Amino acid sequence: MDSLWSKSFDGVRNFPRLSQDICCDVCIVGAGIFGVTCAYYLNLLGFDVVVIDKDDIAGKTTGNTTGKITSQHGLFYSYLINNFGHHFAGLYLEANESAITNIKSIIDKENISCDFSFENNFVYTTDFDRLKSIRDEVEAVRSLNFPCEFASSVGLPFNIAGSVCFKNQAQFHPLKYVWGLCNSICDSTRFFTHTTVSDVRQDNGSYVVSCDDVGYRVRSKFVILACHYPFINVPGFYFTKMYQSSSYLIAVDTKKSLFDGMFISADSPSFSFRTAKFGKKNLLLIGGAEHKTGSYCNYDSTYGVLENLAKKYYPDCDVLFRWNTRDCVSLDKIPYIGLFANNLPNFYVGTGFKKWGMSLSNVAANIVVDMITGKDNVYSSIFNSSRLNPIKNRDEFKNMVVQSSKSLLIDKIKRSHLHFEDIPLNSGGIVEVNGDKVGFFRDVDDNIFAVSPFCTHLGCLLSWNDVDKTWDCPCHGSRFDYTGKNLYDPAFKDLKVFDVMD
Ligand SMILES: Cc1cc2nc3c(=O)[nH]c(=O)nc-3n(C[C@H](O)[C@H](O)[C@H](O)COP(=O)(O)OP(=O)(O)OC[C@H]3O[C@@H](n4cnc5c(N)ncnc54)[C@H](O)[C@@H]3O)c2cc1C
């Protein structure tokens, strides 16, 4: 399912695969918005930078985002003040506000045409019982000396109970922006795509970044793991501190004039709205239907929900594009930015952007680049990647432990009672064959695809995703297509494929 962004941008160019051993100052693993922003800043400072991606530039989460650039990450400031204090919350707000300014400066400096516009951003509720949480958030933000407003009339096609409004937030076309960054530096920064990094090791005071699929290595003094979800499990142990959450988007031609602004509801289920250009049309983007990646979903519970909402308010609308992606969420809801692990100097990470990576990736890139150049960064302490704080989000922690134990231990030994004949055409499921679990997909012509349904990251039992026809990991969110090809991190190896004649 293609995003509006990929269908409205034809500037994707091919970069080579890595084809020899090379050396550089900084090797960046991953060319999403975080990796490319790091490359951009380091290039300005004269570093010799190599960027490696297993896919295309911005082809994964970044290419499928909603593209809102805001410091308003839900009703977040009451949460931050209550759990981490005023000083922490103030720094978080300031860091993300600076990111909006930084992104605008880059766009102006490099003359990047990416449909950037300043917009008001609203977090709203339609539920009068939740109005207090909106008013509390207004108070919380004002206590940080930021001029937010309470608004109850916002221009949406339905009534709301109230909202918190941040002015001078922004939106853009994420692919045009990241490709603009890439184009501005690619004469002096080496990009390699369709090259998978399989290992990073210390060696004689530098790092060796191995790409087993092409058989070559990069030696560098500094490494930045910008691969979304770290695929290196030990040290770091990020797989014990984060989960992935999927959300869905549709782009709709409403055939009506649309409202200004960007919106997200504080209710459950939560919906997100913005507008975006598509040729001469102004489309409405509706996002939502969030669920933990790897948990059960079907068309009705995902795109169906968004389409019903669109039809309710715009009965004559056409849904032009549907897409989805997922992002990492840390248990305390704070990203991990900085040293990958305390015992690995010069090795950095930025992850856990919890669906707000447009601004947070800029914050992260500035922190990591300052660490590389030895410059102080006032925001680095709040995102400390090796923090061992008590887990604030106990519910999520419990969910994660229960889900991981279930997929890693219980489901693996539990017999599957599904029979092959019970799998409908164009669907998949796990069947026991001679005591072993096999993941089958039957396409519409009854061609059969059989894979080993165990994640190549840490061995969890995968679940079938009937919306995208993929095998998804309920533990850490890796995804594979029905032929077994790895699509999403943290796994990077394909599934074992069985010959159906076996
Ligand atoms: C539905 C949805 C809507 C969102 N909307 C917004 C929004 O409106 N505003 C906002 O601020 N944020 C939003 N986000 C969040 C934002 O999109 C992400 O936080 C951000 O794109 C993450 O960027 P990244 O560079 O860390 O990851 P990615 O874009 O995923 O980049 C990581 C790159 O690393 C590569 N990679 C992975 N493993 C390897 C490997 N082993 N070797 C080589 N390369 C590798 C991948 O191919 C990929 O290109 C949204 C998220 C979702 C899920």
Side-chain angles (χ1 to χ4, degrees), residues 292-475:
K292 189 167 177 274
T293 309
S295 63
Y296 176 77
C297 60
N298 60 27
Y299 194 91
D300 290 347
S301 69
T302 56
Y303 295 115
V305 172
L306 305 182
E307 287 171 22
N308 286 342
L309 190 72
K311 294 270 178 207
K312 183 169 172 189
Y313 297 107
Y314 303 99
D316 299 326
C317 72
D318 288 331
V319 179
L320 302 188
F321 303 102
R322 298 169 180 82
W323 70 98
N324 69 77
T325 189
R326 78 284 173 265
D327 206 8
C328 303
V329 186
S330 67
L331 295 179
D332 60 8
K333 302 186 193 168
I334 309 297
Y336 289 106
I337 304 169
L339 272 186
F340 179 76
N342 281 336
N343 58 343
L344 293 176
N346 302 332
F347 185 14
Y348 302 98
V349 71
T351 187
F353 297 148
K354 54 162 181 114
K355 300 187 186 170
W356 296 110
M358 298 298 105
S359 59
L360 284 165
S361 60
N362 186 279
V363 174
N366 276 290
I367 291 175
V368 168
V369 170
D370 284 348
M371 289 177 99
I372 288 175
T373 54
K375 205 172 138 197
D376 280 344
N377 184 303
V378 282
Y379 309 121
S380 61
S381 61
I382 65 171
F383 299 104
N384 178 6
S385 44
S386 45
R387 66 185 177 269
L388 291 170
N389 285 1
I391 287 137
K392 308 275 182 193
N393 192 337
R394 288 175 191 283
D395 287 347
E396 281 307 342
F397 181 66
K398 211 171 85 192
N399 283 344
M400 208 170 94
V401 172
V402 169
Q403 184 58 66
S404 299
S405 331
K406 192 169 168 295
S407 308
L408 203 51
L409 304 168
I410 303 167
D411 289 353
K412 270 169 101 163
I413 49 173
K414 208 164 85 185
R415 270 188 75 79
S416 165
H417 295 292
L418 183 70
H419 296 287
F420 177 78
E421 310 76 58
D422 299 334
I423 300 175
L425 293 186
N426 200 26
S427 191
I430 294 172
V431 174
E432 300 273 340
V433 179
N434 299 329
D436 289 328
K437 290 189 167 52
V438 179
F440 285 105
F441 170 65
R442 303 172 72 175
D443 75 8
V444 280
D445 300 318
D446 210 5
N447 296 308
I448 299 161
F449 299 83
V451 297
S452 168
F454 298 105
C455 186
T456 55
H457 172 229
L458 282 173
C460 291
L461 184 67
L462 301 171
S463 54
W464 176 249
N465 174 335
D466 212 35
V467 181
D468 287 336
K469 316 295 171 198
T470 54
W471 292 103
D472 297 355
C473 177
C475 294

Side-chain angles (χ1 to χ4, degrees), residues 15-37:
F15 286 105
R17 299 183 84 192
L18 185 67
S19 59
Q20 58 180 328
D21 288 346
I22 56 171
C23 295
C24 62
D25 298 331
V26 189
C27 180
I28 300 176
V29 183
I33 190 168
F34 172 49
V36 178
T37 307

Side-chain angles (χ1 to χ4, degrees), residues 50-344:
V50 164
V51 184
I52 300 180
D53 200 292
K54 66 178 181 179
D55 199 79
D56 285 318
I57 307 293
K60 294 296 186 188
T61 323
T62 300
N64 291 292
T65 179
T66 320
K68 298 175 180 174
I69 316 162
T70 175
S71 57
Q72 197 181 16
H73 301 169
L75 299 180
F76 202 48
Y77 292 100
S78 328
Y79 166 81
L80 288 180
I81 291 170
N82 290 338
N83 287 281
F84 303 94
H86 258 91
H87 181 64
F88 188 109
L91 286 175
Y92 187 97
L93 176 55
E94 199 181 289
N96 283 282
E97 278 294 304
S98 304
I100 303 172
T101 311
N102 295 341
I103 290 170
K104 177 70 169 91
S105 308
I106 295 175
I107 290 169
D108 291 344
K109 179 165 185 272
E110 305 301 341
N111 211 2
I112 299 172
S113 168
C114 60
D115 306 338
F116 179 98
S117 60
F118 283 112
E119 305 283 338
N120 291 342
N121 192 60
F122 300 84
V123 179
Y124 70 89
T125 181
T126 53
D127 178 356
F128 282 89
D129 291 340
R130 298 212 60 190
L131 210 45
K132 183 174 178 320
S133 61
I134 297 282
R135 293 205 183 275
D136 287 349
E137 181 73 0
V138 171
E139 285 313 306
V141 175
R142 284 185 181 158
S143 76
L144 301 172
N145 294 322
F146 188 78
C148 76
E149 285 174 11
F150 175 86
S152 52
S153 172
V154 294
L156 284 168
F158 48 83
N159 291 329
I160 63 162
S163 70
V164 190
C165 172
F166 278 27
K167 293 200 163 143
N168 292 319
Q169 309 296 293
Q171 62 183 25
F172 64 1
H173 187 304
L175 276 184
K176 289 183 183 173
Y177 173 70
V178 177
W179 272 96
L181 286 182
C182 179
N183 289 333
S184 70
I185 58 170
C186 64
D187 288 344
S188 43
T189 291
R190 286 172 284 174
F191 285 88
F192 298 96
T193 54
H194 299 281
T195 301
T196 302
V197 174
S198 33
D199 197 16
V200 181
R201 275 184 201 272
Q202 259 182 320
D203 183 56
N204 278 330
S206 58
Y207 285 94
V208 174
V209 176
S210 304
C211 306
D212 290 348
D213 58 342
V214 291
Y216 296 104
R217 308 186 309 172
V218 180
R219 182 177 283 276
S220 64
K221 176 166 184 200
F222 302 98
V223 174
I224 303 173
L225 216 50
C227 59
H228 188 247
Y229 194 126
F231 60 89
I232 296 170
N233 299 313
V234 182
F237 299 97
Y238 290 88
F239 68 96
T240 64
K241 338 190 243 200
M242 293 197 305
Y243 65 98
Q244 298 211 55
S245 171
S246 295
S247 294
Y248 297 74
L249 281 151
I250 58 174
V252 183
D253 179 4
T254 62
K255 300 176 186 151
K256 295 248 164 86
S257 63
L258 287 171
F259 43 83
D260 292 325
M262 309 184 295
F263 301 84
I264 192 160
S265 68
D267 303 329
S268 185
S270 174
F271 296 105
S272 162
F273 303 92
R274 64 162 279 192
T275 56
K277 283 191 212 156
F278 181 61
K280 290 195 172 127
K281 290 184 171 152
N282 196 23
L283 302 186
L284 174 62
L285 268 55
I286 307 180
E290 172 175 35
H291 63 86
K292 189 167 177 274
T293 309
S295 63
Y296 176 77
C297 60
N298 60 27
Y299 194 91
D300 290 347
S301 69
T302 56
Y303 295 115
V305 172
L306 305 182
E307 287 171 22
N308 286 342
L309 190 72
K311 294 270 178 207
K312 183 169 172 189
Y313 297 107
Y314 303 99
D316 299 326
C317 72
D318 288 331
V319 179
L320 302 188
F321 303 102
R322 298 169 180 82
W323 70 98
N324 69 77
T325 189
R326 78 284 173 265
D327 206 8
C328 303
V329 186
S330 67
L331 295 179
D332 60 8
K333 302 186 193 168
I334 309 297
Y336 289 106
I337 304 169
L339 272 186
F340 179 76
N342 281 336
N343 58 343
L344 293 176

